[in-house]
Amino acid sequence: MKKWFQLPECAAGKKRLLLSYFLYKIFGSSILRIIAFFVSLSVFLFNKERRNSSIKFYKLIKKPPILSTYRQFFNYANSLVDKIISFSGNFDTNKFILKNDPNIYKGAFFITTHIGNIEILRCLIEKFDNLRTNIFLQGNFCETFNSFLKTLEIKVNADIFPVEEIDIETSIIISERLKNGEIVFMAGDRISAQNENKIYEGDFLGKKIQLPQGTLKFALMMNVPIYFIVCAKEGKNYIVEAEEFISEKNKKQEKLDELKQAYLKFLEKYTLKYPYQFYNFYQMWD
């Protein structure tokens, strides 16, 4: 079974991001929606490995596998369009519906998932007293987005870090930023290519899966409020839901074990709530 980082890149690289951005600036979002239709159709028809992984997922949750798989690919392509719009500064933040108090977006560590479109939430958060975010991405994604933003001279109130390069210096920087009210986003549902052995096993949809421990340990080490968060599309709006992790355990290992189970529960809950926006295009379980 191949892991996600052993598969060909599914997201857009720098050149495709730049092309999409310029097409949007010239022709508007409609042209990108049309392209998204054909791209998702092409992936559905010709990318057998991703299609089969998706079909297995929808069979597991008892959804019509073929139609559900195409719908998933199409939703993902359109989520990329929304990202392009967000980089242009034209995304309508009135489309966000927060299910939590906005005050939680200060000095907190948010553990994300590959459900929905968490990246565009930055558009709204930047309006919260000019709040700054710190985003951890896989190294290749980090390089792509930083290069994309630099090329277009797009100013965002965020710093993007490679998740593989977290060291003592990074930890000190992030700790200080959290104390100053900044926030952190880091995904908890994909194993890093450089840390395949630093994993834990848990139950997900009745099957055993492996997830990274690094995100959870890093979150606990920061000693700040920890939230699980998802930003998923419903109609024309994005629903933002966050759940705080609260533990009464004192020992580090007990608290870590509790955090693992709480995250798995959150991941399963929102996977079932938004099955067509579950964007892990590989077979997570053995």
Side-chain angles (χ1 to χ4, degrees):
M1 181 185 68
K2 289 185 178 181
K3 297 179 172 62
W4 72 268
F5 50 78
Q6 295 171 320
L7 295 170
E9 180 55 61
C10 187
K14 178 186 173 182
K15 290 182 179 179
R16 281 177 285 174
L17 282 172
L18 288 171
L19 176 60
S20 299
Y21 182 82
F22 287 123
L23 285 174
Y24 168 72
K25 296 296 284 186
I26 297 169
F27 301 108
S29 61
S30 295
I31 186 66
L32 295 186
R33 303 291 182 193
I34 294 170
I35 292 172
F37 169 78
F38 287 105
V39 168
S40 55
L41 181 61
S42 175
V43 174
F44 175 76
L45 292 174
F46 302 114
N47 195 321
K48 183 178 179 181
E49 196 155 23
R50 293 189 188 279
R51 184 179 68 245
N52 287 345
S53 293
S54 182
I55 286 172
K56 288 178 181 178
F57 165 66
Y58 287 109
K59 284 182 177 178
L60 182 63
I61 63 172
K62 296 178 172 55
K63 297 287 184 182
I66 302 299
L67 292 176
S68 297
T69 292
Y70 177 71
R71 183 174 175 182
Q72 179 195 37
F73 291 170
F74 181 69
N75 284 347
Y76 180 68
N78 274 282
S79 76
L80 296 179
V81 175
D82 286 343
K83 286 183 178 69
I84 293 297
I85 298 173
S86 74
F87 284 125
S88 74
N90 294 330
F91 196 86
D92 183 4
T93 54
N94 291 319
K95 291 183 177 180
F96 289 105
I97 299 176
L98 294 177
K99 295 292 187 178
N100 305 87
D101 187 333
N103 290 323
I104 70 171
Y105 298 95
K106 194 167 186 178
F109 195 112
F110 291 90
I111 303 177
T112 68
T113 72
H114 286 82
I115 301 169
N117 198 355
I118 193 68
E119 293 88 349
I120 67 165
L121 184 57
R122 172 189 54 78
C123 301
L124 180 64
I125 290 175
E126 286 182 351
K127 292 192 173 184
F128 294 163
D129 296 322
N130 203 30
L131 186 61
R132 191 167 189 83
T133 59
N134 300 274
I135 304 167
F136 284 84
L137 299 175
Q138 297 296 329
N140 56 333
F141 297 162
C142 182
E143 183 179 353
T144 295
F145 281 110
N146 278 330
S147 179
F148 168 73
L149 296 174
K150 184 177 180 180
T151 299
L152 294 177
E153 298 183 343
I154 295 174
K155 303 296 183 182
V156 296
N157 203 14
D159 285 322
I160 304 174
F161 298 87
V163 72
E164 299 92 342
E165 298 178 15
I166 297 176
D167 53 18
I168 294 176
E169 183 180 355
T170 307
S171 300
I172 293 172
I173 291 171
I174 295 301
S175 178
E176 287 299 315
R177 292 186 178 191
L178 285 164
K179 288 178 183 177
N180 290 332
E182 297 184 23
I183 59 175
V184 173
F185 286 105
M186 184 183 292
D189 58 346
R190 285 190 182 176
I191 298 168
S192 169
Q194 280 70 33
N195 296 289
E196 289 188 66
N197 296 323
K198 298 178 181 179
I199 59 175
Y200 68 96
E201 192 174 82
D203 294 317
F204 175 66
L205 301 173
K207 302 283 186 178
K208 293 292 184 182
I209 64 168
Q210 294 178 338
L211 295 177
Q213 289 195 88
T215 298
L216 309 186
K217 286 184 174 181
F218 191 54
L220 288 172
M221 186 171 64
M222 293 297 102
N223 196 30
V224 296
I226 297 172
Y227 291 86
F228 310 129
I229 190 168
V230 67
C231 177
K233 201 164 191 176
E234 289 187 11
K236 294 183 178 181
N237 296 320
Y238 273 97
I239 309 299
V240 183
E241 298 189 61
E243 294 183 7
E244 186 175 7
F245 170 69
I246 299 175
S247 174
E248 297 180 357
K249 305 292 185 182
N250 293 318
K251 294 183 178 179
K252 290 182 179 179
Q253 187 59 50
E254 289 180 349
K255 189 170 290 190
L256 177 61
D257 290 340
E258 197 172 24
L259 181 56
K260 291 174 184 177
Q261 294 306 312
Y263 181 74
L264 277 163
K265 184 178 179 181
F266 179 86
L267 181 64
E268 182 170 279
K269 174 182 175 180
Y270 285 95
T271 296
L272 294 174
K273 185 171 182 178
Y274 300 109
Y276 306 114
Q277 296 178 66
F278 180 71
Y279 299 142
N280 277 312
F281 296 101
Y282 67 102
Q283 191 172 328
M284 296 178 69
W285 41 89
D286 294 330

